[in-house]
């Protein structure tokens, strides 16, 4: 089945620094979703990207979908302690499958 | 968020016990899912239901038995579990099991098998 590789696995940043996590696939993705899971919490949907080269912003968060639709990134500008958590990308396995495949996630720690 | 609720939130059970996890969604969605999340593995999809019909079973051991009586309720019946089954079990729902709909997760049940 399709896999999405996410890097880095862990990231420690000083508050105010920027943060980026990357999601890569060996196959073309129909779309990609991003979720955030706070410590002790559950995954919460952030955004979905569908179009090649698409860029979407949510306040300090910028999401990009690669031109070839094989990679995506999430960039956080000027991190805050509220950004702490694990960020997952997820993509569907392909036509006829209902399986949403999640990356292993990037765990972000923010040092105040 | 109270769109998807799960009970119990914590469960400790012995290997010979039988227990059930319950999930309820109040979002009017047609698809419901069970996921397993353990410390060293990514989110693993276990079962998918669409309009109460099971559409996917990801080679889950028979000691896990799902039940979906209607599109709002989902159960996971547990019996003869192993210690390696200890994990966070998450329920999710979506408008339909299509690539274009996001999933809404419940708070999860933290299961410990002793």
């Amino acid at each position: 089945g399709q896999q999405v590789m996410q890097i880095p696995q862990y990231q420690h940043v000083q508050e105010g620094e920027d943060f980026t996590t990357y999601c890569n696939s060996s196959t073309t993705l129909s779309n990609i979703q991003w979720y955030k899971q706070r410590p002790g919490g559950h995954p919460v949907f952030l955004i979905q990207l569908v179009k090649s080269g698409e860029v979407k912003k949510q306040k300090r968060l910028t999401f990009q979908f690669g031109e070839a639709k094989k990679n995506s990134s999430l960039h956080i500008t000027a991190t805050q302690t509220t950004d702490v958590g694990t960020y997952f990308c997820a993509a569907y396995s392909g036509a006829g499958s209902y399986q949403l495949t999640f990356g292993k996630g990037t765990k972000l720690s923010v040092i105040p | 968020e109270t769109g998807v609720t799960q009970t119990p939130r914590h469960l400790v059970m012995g290997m010979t016990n039988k227990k059930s996890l319950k999930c309820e969604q109040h979002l009017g969605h047609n698809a419901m899912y069970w996921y397993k999340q353990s410390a060293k593995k990514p989110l693993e999809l276990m079962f998918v239901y669409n309009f109460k019909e099971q559409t996917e079973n990801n080679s889950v051991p028979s000691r896990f038995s799902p039940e979906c009586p209607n599109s709002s309720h989902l159960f996971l019946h547990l019996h003869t579990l192993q210690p390696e089954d200890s994990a966070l079990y998450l329920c999710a729902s979506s408008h339909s099991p299509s690539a274009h709909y996001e999933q809404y997760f419940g708070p999860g049940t933290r299961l410990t098998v002793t």
Side-chain angles (χ1 to χ4, degrees), chain A residues 30-31 33 35 37 41-45 48 50 88 92 97-100 102-104, chain B residues 1 35 37 42-43 45 48 55-56 58 90 97-103 105-107:
Chain A
S30 59
N31 59 337
Q33 299 178 359
Y35 292 78
Q37 185 172 16
H42 56 277
V44 174
F45 174 79
Q48 175 167 265
V50 179
F88 296 95
Y92 272 82
S97 171
Y98 298 124
Q99 181 165 337
L100 186 64
F102 282 79
K104 291 187 176 183
Chain B
E1 297 176 14
Y35 286 89
Q37 187 176 41
L43 274 164
L45 179 66
V48 180
T55 56
E56 286 202 32
N58 272 9
L90 291 159
S98 157
H100 298 290
Y101 294 102
E102 65 268 29
Q103 295 188 10
F105 286 81

Side-chain angles (χ1 to χ4, degrees), chain B residues 19-105:
Chain B
K19 295 287 184 183
S20 295
L21 310 184
K22 179 183 176 182
C23 175
E24 183 174 0
Q25 59 98 358
H26 311 273
L27 300 169
H29 289 163
N30 297 315
M32 296 189 77
Y33 314 80
W34 279 116
Y35 286 89
K36 176 184 178 182
Q37 187 176 41
S38 52
K40 298 185 177 180
K41 290 187 176 181
L43 274 164
E44 298 175 81
L45 179 66
M46 301 174 72
F47 302 103
V48 180
Y49 277 84
N50 183 29
F51 287 104
K52 306 187 299 177
E53 298 299 320
Q54 184 175 315
T55 56
E56 286 202 32
N57 173 343
N58 272 9
S59 303
V60 180
S62 59
R63 57 186 184 269
F64 294 91
S65 175
E67 178 189 359
C68 189
N70 55 63
S71 57
S72 297
H73 294 85
L74 186 64
F75 295 89
L76 188 63
H77 304 297
L78 316 171
H79 66 95
T80 325
L81 294 191
Q82 304 297 313
E84 59 266 27
D85 297 322
S86 298
L88 180 67
Y89 288 85
L90 291 159
C91 173
S93 72
S94 65
H95 178 77
S96 80
S98 157
H100 298 290
Y101 294 102
E102 65 268 29
Q103 295 188 10
Y104 291 80
F105 286 81

Side-chain angles (χ1 to χ4, degrees), chain B residues 7-26:
Chain B
T7 55
R9 295 293 306 276
H10 300 272
L11 178 62
V12 179
M13 58 186 289
M15 294 169 60
T16 58
N17 291 161
K18 289 184 179 181
K19 295 287 184 183
S20 295
L21 310 184
K22 179 183 176 182
C23 175
E24 183 174 0
Q25 59 98 358
H26 311 273

